[in-house]
Amino acid sequence: MSGGSDVADTTSLSCARCGKPARLQCPKCVELKLPREGAAFCTQDCFKASWSSHKAVHLKAKLSSLGTGTPHEQNSDLLNEDWQYCLKRGQARTQKLPHFDWTGKLRPYAISGRRAVPPHIELPDWAADGIPKTEPNSDLQHVVEIKTPDQIERMREACRIGREVLDAAARVIQPGVTTDEIDRVVHDATIAAGGYPSPLNYHFFPKSCCTSVNEVICHGIPDARKLEDGDIINVDISVYYKGVHGDLNETYFVGNVDEESRRLVQCTYESLEKAIAIVKPGVRFREIGEVINRHTTMSGFSVVKSYCGHGIGELFHCAPNIPHYGRNKAVGVMKAGQTFTIEPMINAGVWRDRMWPDGWTAVTADGKRSAQFEHTLLVTKTGVEVLTGRLPSSPNVFPWLNA
């Protein structure tokens, strides 16, 4: 931080964090010759508190100056500021683009450092060291829990926050925006609502949401890549609030998208809706996959078999497992009070997947595109309640909903 040389000029600036008169400026913004508005702070404390979000301004400036190029070319200048490639499921970093037999055109870009969580936020048990303690050995990995009225009400609140956070992310999606910026929006909106972004440091996952672009099936890590016209992107949100989790995702169009991608995304949306329509007490969990598989194959697409829906509540992932493909062997029947996710991943080509060197990003084996939608559901006495359902204020981004 450095003080301005022109006292009269600096006193006319307001602190980017609290709005008070500011006399200090971010030295990096000065170096990059960025506008003084938004780079001024009243104290060192305000500067430090704003750093996790403010440094994104530096990234945008650097990416703009770098223009187009390979991921390594665009990232090379960022690596001096903790922007590195992810390895080993988030437990390692490297300054070099990993070697891999990439299946499509997409490549990983460098990722930023871990975002801060204020001390007043309630934390899940993995937040500090990346290791879930309760979840792996819980009896609820084998028994499907019937939620109490109190648990259900808390889940409604967590899921409502998750929906509002996802909607906030959807509003910033456009060509030129980085997935890291989407992650910042998700993180800040979750914290502002009093929640914790469940993915953050879960088994060492380095970010607050998953952003899966084009051939990425799921668990894409937000990074420095700018979204391009014609991309599709899935944003997967999970929120921990009042001791329970809410989980949902949607796939969005970036600019002008080709017709096959539009059909793929709409088919995926419809397959989830058709699956939700059969949820009620007495229905076998395995029937969900039959419904999704039938609609998907009739449209000429394939269903991913490596990842499934899951039970959710005070645990992020628990019983039941919800396969999305046909002829699955899921056991059990639905009962009132159960909560679980349905989240079909549908591929334009073959269903098989491969894992990137980061240990998280699952991509299609043939490099063709993939789409996904997800809701958290509550089985009621007469049917189903979609806890993460769209709101009247949700962005109007899906053309088929206007038909």
Side-chain angles (χ1 to χ4, degrees):
M1 295 288 292
S2 59
S5 59
D6 186 337
V7 176
D9 189 22
T10 55
T11 53
S12 67
L13 296 174
S14 298
C15 176
R17 180 169 183 264
C18 69
K20 294 180 181 179
R23 290 175 175 269
L24 304 178
Q25 274 197 285
C26 169
K28 194 66 181 178
C29 289
V30 173
E31 177 188 330
L32 295 172
K33 299 180 180 180
L34 298 179
R36 302 177 75 178
E37 296 78 7
F41 298 88
C42 62
T43 64
Q44 290 280 1
D45 289 339
C46 267
F47 176 65
K48 291 177 181 178
S50 300
W51 177 247
S52 63
S53 58
H54 175 71
K55 63 184 179 181
V57 174
H58 308 151
L59 169 65
K60 287 182 178 179
K62 285 178 176 291
L63 288 177
S64 296
S65 64
L66 289 169
T68 58
T70 67
H72 186 68
E73 288 169 345
Q74 288 201 14
N75 281 312
S76 60
D77 194 37
L78 301 174
L79 300 179
N80 297 324
E81 294 189 354
D82 300 327
W83 287 80
Q84 298 185 348
Y85 298 97
C86 180
L87 293 174
K88 297 183 178 179
R89 292 183 64 82
Q91 298 181 72
R93 301 286 189 274
T94 179
Q95 292 192 349
K96 295 182 179 180
L97 179 67
H99 176 74
F100 186 69
D101 183 17
W102 312 102
T103 64
K105 295 181 179 179
L106 198 68
R107 300 290 184 272
Y109 281 57
I111 69 171
S112 59
R114 182 176 167 184
R115 302 190 192 281
V117 177
H120 70 276
I121 297 295
E122 181 183 0
L123 305 177
D125 65 9
W126 58 79
D129 62 6
I131 303 172
K133 316 300 187 302
T134 305
E135 186 174 286
N137 301 313
S138 171
D139 290 341
L140 298 182
Q141 297 300 338
H142 313 287
V143 178
V144 183
E145 181 181 33
I146 303 298
K147 300 296 190 296
T148 66
D150 173 69
Q151 287 175 313
I152 291 171
E153 188 54 40
R154 285 186 285 134
M155 286 197 67
R156 286 193 179 105
E157 293 183 66
C159 288
R160 170 72 180 232
I161 292 172
R163 163 50 64 184
E164 292 171 346
V165 170
L166 181 60
D167 289 349
R171 292 186 183 100
V172 302
I173 291 173
Q174 62 180 334
V177 172
T178 67
T179 50
D180 183 82
E181 175 66 10
I182 295 171
D183 181 76
R184 184 194 64 77
V185 169
V186 167
H187 184 89
D188 290 352
T190 304
I191 297 299
Y196 178 92
S198 306
L200 185 60
N201 214 30
Y202 179 73
H203 292 290
F204 309 102
F205 188 81
K207 290 297 173 182
S208 297
C209 68
C210 300
T211 52
S212 301
V213 178
N214 296 344
E215 68 261 31
V216 178
I217 295 171
C218 61
H219 303 155
I221 301 174
D223 60 22
R225 180 186 181 270
K226 291 182 179 181
L227 294 177
E228 299 177 359
D229 186 67
D231 285 344
I232 60 173
I233 178 173
N234 177 274
V235 181
D236 195 338
I237 303 294
S238 305
V239 171
Y240 181 68
Y241 182 74
K242 292 187 177 181
V244 296
H245 300 269
D247 195 3
L248 73 160
N249 71 57
E250 291 179 339
T251 301
Y252 303 105
F253 303 127
V254 183
N256 299 305
V257 176
D258 66 86
E259 183 58 31
E260 183 180 43
S261 295
R262 289 181 175 274
R263 286 201 314 111
L264 172 67
V265 173
Q266 182 172 349
C267 172
T268 308
Y269 182 97
E270 291 170 348
S271 69
L272 173 58
E273 291 297 302
K274 289 179 180 293
I276 292 172
I278 72 164
V279 174
K280 63 180 180 181
V283 174
R284 295 180 299 176
F285 290 119
R286 69 180 63 176
E287 293 299 318
I288 292 172
E290 298 297 338
V291 171
I292 293 171
N293 189 74
R294 187 179 308 117
H295 183 67
T296 300
T297 54
M298 288 179 63
S299 300
F301 302 123
S302 64
V303 182
V304 173
K305 299 182 180 181
S306 303
Y307 301 92
C308 61
H310 53 88
I312 188 170
E314 292 176 353
L315 300 181
F316 193 3
H317 298 92
C318 56
N321 284 333
I322 309 292
H324 304 115
Y325 54 90
R327 299 184 180 180
N328 67 78
K329 298 181 180 180
V331 297
V333 298
M334 301 176 196
K335 298 178 181 179
Q338 294 172 340
T339 54
F340 53 85
T341 71
I342 304 178
E343 46 187 298
M345 288 144 273
I346 308 302
N347 293 351
V350 299
W351 66 265
R352 297 186 183 277
D353 61 280
R354 292 187 62 192
M355 184 68 68
W356 271 8
D358 59 36
W360 280 106
T361 306
V363 297
T364 58
D366 57 9
K368 294 185 178 181
R369 292 188 169 187
S370 183
Q372 183 185 18
F373 284 85
E374 174 185 20
H375 278 305
T376 295
L377 309 171
L378 165 67
V379 182
T380 66
K381 291 181 180 180
T382 57
V384 61
E385 179 181 342
V386 182
L387 299 178
T388 49
R390 293 176 62 81
L391 304 171
S393 59
S394 296
N396 182 14
V397 292
F398 301 121
W400 54 86
L401 297 183
N402 300 322

